[in-house]
Structures are given as structure tokens and as C-alpha cells.
Amino acid sequence: MPTFGFPHGALPRATATLTIPAGQSASDALDTADMIPLGVITPGAWTAAALSFQVSADGSTWIPLYDQYGSEVSIPSSAIPTGAARAFSIALANVAAWRFIRLVSGTSATPVSQAASRSIVLLGVRA
């Protein structure tokens, strides 16, 4: 099996925690210059909502993330139960091109304010 230049075949892992403040629907931003996100862990405490993504090329102009088929990239609310943390994969093709990413409670059409501050962990590989 090829190792792609990393010792023992291991990719250099990275994590980042993004927070959606209480009463808000969007998290702080992740600058992906150092990390390519490939997974997300939602918290056990969560006000019922989908989890979607916004992206930016400059860190200040945010737009909803859609896949190549025109569907908004999101994790449906039915997959994020209150009281249980969940881990989800993020498709590399959806996020690799974007310098900045933030998470949104709800979708672009229906953002949902979180009742309390929520920390969401992104996992990936170092860029």
C-alpha cells in the first residue's frame, strides 16, 4: 500500500472546533489553509435543525455550499438527534476548493438559532 510520503502510511491528522453562539445560526470560520475537513462531530445537545455549510473565498463574503447537482450540502435534522453526538463524513469534492468554511444550523432557506452555544468538531488532514 502506498504511503504518499507520510511515515508508516499515516496521514497527518487535524481537528478544529467551530462554535455556533447561543441565539445564532452560523459558526465562526475555519481557514482551510492548514486543514482539509473530511468529517464533523455534532454535539449531543442540539436544537433540532439540519447542519449545512457556507463557504467563502475571502473570509467575509459567505455563500451557501451546493454540490455539483445543485443540492445544498447539508446533514438533515433527522440524522442529528438531540442527546447523542454523531459523526459524519464530508465529501472532499464539496469542500476542497474553498479557503474558508463555516457551519450553519439549518439551511440557507431556513436557518435555526441554537438555544445555547454549540461546539462542533471538524476532523481532517493537514493541508
Side-chain angles (χ1 to χ4, degrees):
M1 179 178 294
T3 61
F4 303 103
F6 297 109
H8 310 293
L11 292 172
R13 307 285 182 198
T15 62
T17 301
L18 300 181
T19 302
I20 298 175
Q24 301 293 314
S25 61
S27 73
D28 48 338
L30 172 67
D31 182 344
T32 65
D34 297 324
M35 174 185 166
I36 300 168
L38 298 173
V40 60
I41 299 174
T42 59
W46 182 254
T47 303
L51 181 67
S52 60
F53 301 81
Q54 290 182 342
V55 294
S56 175
D58 61 12
S60 61
T61 304
W62 294 96
I63 55 174
L65 179 61
Y66 287 80
D67 65 18
Q68 68 271 26
Y69 304 108
S71 298
E72 187 168 6
V73 176
S74 68
I75 300 165
S77 60
S78 60
I80 309 172
T82 297
R86 288 279 172 99
F88 299 93
S89 295
I90 300 171
L92 178 61
N94 289 332
V95 295
W98 300 103
R99 174 69 188 267
F100 300 94
I101 295 173
R102 68 181 183 182
L103 304 173
V104 176
S105 172
T107 62
S108 61
T110 311
V112 175
S113 296
Q114 286 295 305
S117 180
R118 309 295 189 203
S119 294
I120 302 159
V121 177
L122 288 174
L123 300 96
V125 293
R126 295 196 187 283

